[in-house]
């Protein structure tokens, strides 16, 4: 138990010691219970009147942002009423934070002082190369071109921050983390029903494909792809939650930042940074973790999956009425439109199949900028599905391993492409997650870890299944 003081500090009831931030006090409390605890996010683990501090913070930022009167003071009762929505719909700590003023230039890690209540958590911090601290990168990172394509496209859609999951596999023997797929988080805080559907869809999709949660991504729309103090705190907390209890069950967690519209950059492609946070030493418990630059490799994809195509379309469908959505007909820089800039950024992430390459761009350009492809979005989708399906059929028959079910499945695609009524709902799914239980989800996601430690990453909170989410 602690007292929240007028200056924002927290005084421990038991020891009367004062702590400058929620995270510092949370660390102190957790270390009493678990001596090896290295970090903890106080905003997400401390409750005031039964509600997480994170909810108060987000509610306050929303009220302040929506206020039309400068320097308006938000009444406490208004904040607490809004907190109810935040608690009821809080599914994971990947919810986009409302951006405050972010400095254009990052500071060096050596310039960061210990945590304090008056620090701007939107301060950008340079990532450190492992060679600087005379170490080698602890594990290899591979990111599939399809995952980069989807997350880069997602980040291009909005002038505000977007977030998503990363799923893949961890190979303990080679110490290699492979990011196979990106999963855009398509839900808004107030939309509880849609949040649940998207959450269930994501869980079923990558567990059915025998993948695990390996990280998260978010965008810095107009600033450089460097983590902020807030990103550092969040990343370290995720690393602790899914790391596993033993060396053998350890699963790394990486963060990816995509900067699509940094106008200070000379080229038009997005900057994608992969980072990992090195925890502070035990004698420096009030210091921030050090963001480390994680070098990664990407190999070109031979083809494209239908799952990726549908995920690209769903991103556009979800965000097209948002006030922050990008108008791709507008000029981005000089005489270059946002659509031209998008094409330049995505080209190196497209499959190397020239036919798929052409149909994919026609499809993407039309769904973000109607009339730009010279054909309808419906025809472009039909053409793209047809060519992808034919490529999959050829690959399967060439290896003499085509099951009858697969042939029938692909033939149904080709038939549907010749109809005039193809919709998103007509496209068959490639997996069925309806028989996945909560226990198997937990096992697949976290490799038999203690379910309670990691469930908040994907929103499997017990409170979501109680009658009253506030209890």
């Amino acid at each position: 138990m602690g007292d929240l003081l007028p200056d924002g500090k927290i005084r421990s009831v038991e020891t009367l010691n004062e702590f400058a931030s929620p995270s510092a006090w949370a660390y102190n409390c957790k270390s009493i219970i678990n001596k090896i605890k290295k970090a903890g996010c106080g905003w997400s683990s401390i409750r005031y009147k039964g509600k997480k501090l994170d909810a108060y913070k987000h509610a306050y930022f929303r009220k302040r942002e929506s206020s039309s009167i400068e320097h308006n003071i938000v009444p406490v009762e208004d904040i607490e009423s809004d907190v109810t929505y935040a608690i009821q719909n809080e599914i994971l700590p990947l919810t986009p934070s409302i951006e405050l003023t972010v400095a254009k230039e990052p500071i060096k890690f050596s310039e960061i002082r210990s945590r304090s209540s008056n620090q701007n958590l939107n301060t950008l911090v340079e990532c450190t190369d492992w060679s600087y601290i005379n170490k080698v990168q602890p594990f290899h990172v591979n990111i599939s071109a399809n995952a980069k394509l989807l997350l880069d496209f997602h980040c291009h859609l909005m002038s505000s921050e977007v977030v998503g999951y990363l799923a893949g596999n961890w190979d303990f023997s080679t110490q290699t983390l492979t990011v196979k797929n990106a999963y855009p988080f398509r839900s808004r805080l107030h939309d509880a029903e849609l949040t649940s559907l998207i959450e269930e869809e994501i869980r079923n999709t990558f567990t059915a494909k025998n993948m695990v949660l390996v990280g998260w991504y978010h965008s810095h729309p107009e600033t450089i792809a460097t983590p902020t103090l807030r990103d550092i705190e969040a990343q370290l907390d995720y690393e602790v939650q899914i790391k596993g209890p033993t060396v053998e069950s350890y699963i790394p967690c990486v963060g990816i930042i995509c900067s699509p519209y940094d106008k200070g950059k000379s080229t038009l492609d997005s900057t994608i940074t992969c980072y990992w946070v090195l925890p502070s030493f035990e004698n420096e418990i009030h210091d921030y973790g050090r963001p480390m630059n994680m070098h990664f490799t990407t190999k070109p994809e031979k083809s494209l999956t239908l799952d990726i195509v549908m995920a690209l379309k769903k991103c556009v469908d979800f965000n097209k009425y948002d006030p922050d959505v990008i108008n791709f007909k507008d000029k981005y820089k000089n005489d270059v439109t946002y659509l031209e800039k998008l094409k330049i950024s995505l080209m190196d992430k497209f499959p190397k199949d020239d036919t798929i390459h052409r149909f994919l761009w026609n499809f993407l350009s039309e769904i973000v900028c109607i009339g730009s492809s010279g054909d309808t979005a419906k025809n472009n989708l039909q053409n793209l599905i047809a060519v992808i399906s034919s490529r999959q059929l050829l690959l399967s028959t060439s290896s003499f391993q085509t099951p009858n079910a697969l042939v029938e499945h692909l033939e149904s695609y080709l038939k549907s492409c010749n109809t005039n009524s193809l919709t998103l709902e007509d496209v068959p799914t490639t997996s069925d997650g309806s028989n996945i239980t909560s226990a198997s989800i937990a096992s697949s996601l976290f490799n038999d870890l203690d379910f309670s430690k990691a469930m908040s990453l994907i929103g499997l909170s017990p409170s979501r299944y109680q009658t009253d989410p506030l209890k």
Side-chain angles (χ1 to χ4, degrees), residues 92-97 151 154-155 158 160-166 183-187 202 216-219 231 238 256 315:
L92 75 172
L94 300 189
T95 304
S97 58
L151 73 87
H154 184 208
C155 293
M158 306 291 291
S160 56
E161 180 181 329
V162 300
V163 296
Y165 297 105
L166 301 172
Y183 293 90
F185 185 58
R186 305 183 315 278
S187 182
I202 292 174
W216 64 301
Y217 72 86
H218 70 286
S219 64
D231 298 335
Y238 302 154
I256 289 180
C315 282

Side-chain angles (χ1 to χ4, degrees), residues 174-287:
T174 62
Q175 296 290 289
T176 301
L177 185 72
T178 301
V179 178
K180 291 187 175 181
N181 281 9
Y183 293 90
F185 185 58
R186 305 183 315 278
S187 182
R188 297 185 178 91
L189 189 63
H190 64 273
D191 197 335
E193 183 178 357
L194 182 58
T195 290
S196 298
L197 292 173
I198 297 300
E199 179 188 26
E200 186 70 16
E201 176 190 337
I202 292 174
R203 280 202 305 263
N204 288 346
T205 300
F206 68 70
T207 54
K209 294 181 178 180
N210 296 317
M211 291 187 293
V212 295
L213 189 67
V214 296
W216 64 301
Y217 72 86
H218 70 286
S219 64
H220 283 185
E222 297 181 351
T223 58
I224 63 176
T226 292
T228 63
L229 289 176
R230 179 180 285 106
D231 298 335
I232 293 171
E233 292 282 77
Q235 172 61 25
L236 185 56
D237 200 43
Y238 302 154
E239 291 172 13
V240 172
Q241 289 187 65
I242 72 170
K243 67 182 180 65
T246 65
V247 174
E248 290 75 16
S249 64
Y250 172 78
I251 300 176
C253 173
V254 295
I256 289 180
I257 301 174
C258 178
S259 175
Y261 299 121
D262 177 13
K263 294 187 178 180
K265 186 179 179 181
S266 58
T267 58
L268 295 176
D269 57 319
S270 297
T271 302
I272 296 177
T273 298
C274 181
Y275 73 106
W276 188 78
V277 174
L278 191 65
S280 57
F281 295 106
E282 290 189 9
N283 60 341
E284 301 170 342
I285 60 175
H286 297 303
D287 291 348

Side-chain angles (χ1 to χ4, degrees), residues 104-361:
K104 296 294 184 182
E105 296 297 327
I107 64 174
K108 295 184 180 297
F109 180 75
S110 58
E111 299 176 35
I112 301 176
R113 299 179 180 179
S114 298
R115 295 182 179 91
S116 67
S117 58
N118 60 354
Q119 279 177 324
N120 180 4
L121 293 181
N122 291 296
T123 300
L124 297 167
V125 183
E126 282 186 1
C127 287
T128 304
D129 283 325
W130 291 93
S131 59
Y132 181 80
I133 57 175
N134 297 319
K135 294 183 181 295
V136 295
Q137 186 168 307
F139 55 91
H140 306 289
V141 180
N142 293 328
I143 305 177
S144 75
N146 281 345
K148 288 176 65 178
L149 169 66
L150 181 51
L151 73 87
D152 193 17
F153 179 77
H154 184 208
C155 293
H156 268 90
L157 295 179
M158 306 291 291
S159 61
S160 56
E161 180 181 329
V162 300
V163 296
Y165 297 105
L166 301 172
N169 300 112
W170 165 245
D171 189 332
F172 177 77
S173 60
T174 62
Q175 296 290 289
T176 301
L177 185 72
T178 301
V179 178
K180 291 187 175 181
N181 281 9
Y183 293 90
F185 185 58
R186 305 183 315 278
S187 182
R188 297 185 178 91
L189 189 63
H190 64 273
D191 197 335
E193 183 178 357
L194 182 58
T195 290
S196 298
L197 292 173
I198 297 300
E199 179 188 26
E200 186 70 16
E201 176 190 337
I202 292 174
R203 280 202 305 263
N204 288 346
T205 300
F206 68 70
T207 54
K209 294 181 178 180
N210 296 317
M211 291 187 293
V212 295
L213 189 67
V214 296
W216 64 301
Y217 72 86
H218 70 286
S219 64
H220 283 185
E222 297 181 351
T223 58
I224 63 176
T226 292
T228 63
L229 289 176
R230 179 180 285 106
D231 298 335
I232 293 171
E233 292 282 77
Q235 172 61 25
L236 185 56
D237 200 43
Y238 302 154
E239 291 172 13
V240 172
Q241 289 187 65
I242 72 170
K243 67 182 180 65
T246 65
V247 174
E248 290 75 16
S249 64
Y250 172 78
I251 300 176
C253 173
V254 295
I256 289 180
I257 301 174
C258 178
S259 175
Y261 299 121
D262 177 13
K263 294 187 178 180
K265 186 179 179 181
S266 58
T267 58
L268 295 176
D269 57 319
S270 297
T271 302
I272 296 177
T273 298
C274 181
Y275 73 106
W276 188 78
V277 174
L278 191 65
S280 57
F281 295 106
E282 290 189 9
N283 60 341
E284 301 170 342
I285 60 175
H286 297 303
D287 291 348
Y288 287 97
R290 181 189 288 266
M292 305 301 297
N293 188 29
M294 299 297 290
H295 296 282
F296 61 88
T297 57
T298 299
K299 294 182 180 179
E301 301 284 356
K302 293 182 179 179
S303 186
L304 195 68
T305 65
L306 293 168
D307 290 342
I308 296 293
V309 174
M310 299 321 350
L312 292 164
K313 187 176 187 306
K314 286 179 182 178
C315 282
V316 176
D317 290 343
F318 178 77
N319 292 296
K320 61 185 177 182
Y321 298 118
D322 198 289
D324 295 332
V325 71
I326 294 294
N327 184 348
F328 285 89
K329 294 180 181 179
D330 290 346
K331 296 292 184 182
Y332 166 67
K333 184 192 292 187
N334 300 327
D335 292 329
V336 178
T337 64
Y338 278 90
L339 184 63
E340 292 168 332
K341 186 250 181 283
L342 175 67
K343 183 176 183 179
I344 291 172
S345 186
L346 297 183
M347 280 298 132
D348 65 335
K349 305 171 184 70
F350 276 19
K352 294 308 177 183
D353 185 308
D354 290 339
T355 306
I356 292 180
H357 196 290
R358 175 165 55 87
F359 283 125
L360 176 58
W361 175 246

Side-chain angles (χ1 to χ4, degrees), residues 313 362-368 370-371 373-384 422:
K313 187 176 187 306
N362 287 345
F363 166 68
L364 293 179
S365 64
E366 187 63 30
I367 61 176
V368 300
I370 297 175
S373 70
D375 203 346
T376 65
K378 184 176 180 179
N379 288 340
N380 286 330
L381 179 59
Q382 291 174 349
N383 293 335
L384 183 57
L422 182 69

